[in-house]
Amino acid sequence: MPKSFYLFSFGILLFCFSCQTKNPNSIESDLIIYGGTSAAITAAVQAKKMGKSVIVVSPDIHLGGLSAGGLGFTDTGDKSVIGGLAREFYHRIYMHYQSEDSWKWQKKDEYGNVGQGTPAIDGNARTMWIFEPHAAEKVFEDFVSEYEIQVYRDEWLDRGKGVQLENGKIIAITTLSGKTFNGKMFIDATYEGDLMAAAGVSYHVGRESNETYGETWNGVQFGVFQHRHYFYEPISPYLIPGDPSSGLLPEISDAQLAENGTGDNKVQAYNFRMCLSQHPDNRLPFPKPEGYDPARYELLARVFETGWDETFDKFDPIPNLKTDTNNHGPFSTDYIGKNYDYPEATYEERKAIIKEHENYQKGLMYFLANDPKVPEKVRNEMNKWGLAKDEFTDNGNWPHQIYVREARRLIGDYVMTEHDVLGAKQVPQPIGMGSYALDSHNIQRIVTAEGFVQNEGDIGVKPKEPYSISYGTIIPKKQECENLLVAVCVSSSHTAFGSIRMEPVFMILGQSAATAAALAIDADLAVQDLPYEKLQERLKTDGQVMVLEERL
């Protein structure tokens, strides 16, 4: 055959290969972020700022997690240690509310400007810490648009066989829709820690014993009343008061109480942070949920009989005559003891758990607004409130994100404990700061030895000053995975996570995780081998606050 024939044949072959369509279900990027939380979006923005390609693979349709899901009365602690992209988020919230168009249901000068420790609107720092859900979601969507971040929504990790590992690294992740995302680095930015669990790294669910890390506030904490979320007066737990043979009232566990300090597999209670409105033109009556049974709330009726009158203490005001409504008191929106299976549950099982939480909480609100066992003054006041018509409009005005206060937690080379948070030891390799109290909601509602009902697990121990968070908390052990960072389910004990688990901190850790990922890509290093000095230098450049001396 003449040489020209072979050249012609080779050319045809190349042309055919070049004409082949790429597999549309195989997507590649420098960095793959799994999750749609506030941490996921700040991580994606940081990656873009550092010149890296990034894809957000989000099981959620709405971005921003709890920050856009009803938690508008921000748990901040000391705001001076919130820097970088987290502070940029709160600055953008401030700018949103500078527009008169943002005040539809209330005049700006009529807003009470109440925040946690500081005014909601900080004119000097040009930040705002209290906001409506739709305002937060807009900021996250603006980030995505401005930085041209590619987001794949409603994409759920195949937790059984969707993580491809090779030589200690994640090569790709596959979702239930069949899409495969190939990357050099991966970040788990979910509240549940699904990617890290599927990757086979070490993690923990539940409370460690106090012996595990030499702590005081871990494990069972019966008789510790540091918030007002307990039964002040003796109340019988039985259907017929004082008669154990009649059986327990709903929402009370018959489990035996372990000794204080004992570890278990239980997690603190979840709820929905409802956005309620008191404007007559922007509120909907509390709906009567399917299967509603007023007997489910008999225990609350008995609480009212004791004279308890704190029903509205956590109707925290946010702009436009709305509230971020949180749990408060001995029987409230926290669905105590009904979430233990959630961290490890299948998607379908989680969906059922979430639905049961929704029915419980909707039923509670309907009970408070309508049942004759509720004091008349409470019913009258409750009927001034309702679900906000202009929030969560594609979900029946109900939050699209349940408050997953705690699920899995990574066990890395460094585990943050209460000793770090309370200042008893110096934290190595800081990448951000926290300042909130060791904050755990109740974990059990049980019958005491004296035959009364009581809650257990609620703690609130304040640190003396803000504390640093170690780089070691967001990386697994090197022998387990070299290219994974965990921005939410960080390596920490139950008590330490109770402080770390605040939305501003998740944004901080998202930015720091992406910074480390980008630097590790540039140096072709495992995240565990990244020189801390390089990470520290870049974080400082980008406004991250890592030690007290840098506070804003």
Side-chain angles (χ1 to χ4, degrees), residues 92 135-148:
R92 289 184 178 222
E137 186 169 1
K138 181 181 183 302
V139 171
F140 289 118
E141 292 291 352
D142 286 346
F143 274 137
V144 167
S145 176
E146 291 171 25
Y147 286 90
E148 299 180 335

Side-chain angles (χ1 to χ4, degrees), residues 3 105 150 169 182 219-220 241 258 326 328 340 508:
K3 184 177 181 181
W105 306 108
Q150 195 170 10
K169 294 181 179 181
N182 306 273
V220 174
N326 196 13
H328 180 78
Y340 301 157
I508 289 167

Side-chain angles (χ1 to χ4, degrees), residues 26 30 69 154 190 221 267 271 308 323 381 459:
S26 181
D30 291 330
D154 198 21
T190 63
Q221 295 290 316
V267 292
N271 71 343
W308 183 81
T323 176
E381 180 65 24
I459 60 170

